[in-house]
């Protein structure tokens, strides 16, 4: 089950964040930008916790961007620039 966990109701029509807990404690995110310009889309881990209790238990995650394989560490929010009409 995926859930929309984007917290900003004012821009929800333009940006979405979909999250899904995976086995082993991992999380999958889809950051969606429906806008006509690139935008920074933010996934707030507290929103994930409110939809999937217990899913955000590690406090610190290694994030991997699937298109480039770039990695980084996130603790509270995952932010990424998403091209116009992109994921």
């Amino acid at each position: 089950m995926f859930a929309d966990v984007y917290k900003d109701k004012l821009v929800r029509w333009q940006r979405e964040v979909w999250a899904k807990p995976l086995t082993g404690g991992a999380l999958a995110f889809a950051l969606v930008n429906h806008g006509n310009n690139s935008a920074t889309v933010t996934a707030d881990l507290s929103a994930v916790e409110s939809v999937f209790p217990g899913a955000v238990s590690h406090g610190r995650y290694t994030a991997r961007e699937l298109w480039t394989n770039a990695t980084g560490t996130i603790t509270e929010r995952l932010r990424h620039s998403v091209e116009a009409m992109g994921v």
Side-chain angles (χ1 to χ4, degrees):
M1 173 178 163
F2 277 92
D4 182 2
V5 295
Y6 197 70
K7 282 183 118 176
D8 190 341
K9 308 287 188 214
L10 297 176
V11 296
R12 179 178 296 278
W13 65 273
Q14 197 168 32
R15 297 179 198 116
E16 296 175 286
V17 175
W18 291 87
K20 177 182 172 105
L22 303 174
T23 57
L27 297 169
F29 288 95
L31 307 178
V32 182
N33 178 12
H34 296 288
N36 292 323
N37 299 305
S38 64
T40 299
V41 181
T42 303
D44 191 323
L45 295 183
S46 66
V48 173
E49 182 64 24
S50 69
V51 177
F52 299 111
V56 184
S57 59
H58 297 94
R60 184 179 173 127
Y61 289 89
T62 299
R64 180 170 53 102
E65 206 275 354
L66 294 178
W67 277 255
T68 65
N69 274 331
T71 60
T73 301
I74 61 170
T75 55
E76 296 177 16
R77 290 173 193 84
L78 170 63
R79 291 185 179 153
H80 192 69
S81 179
V82 181
E83 65 186 49
M85 303 295 183
V87 179

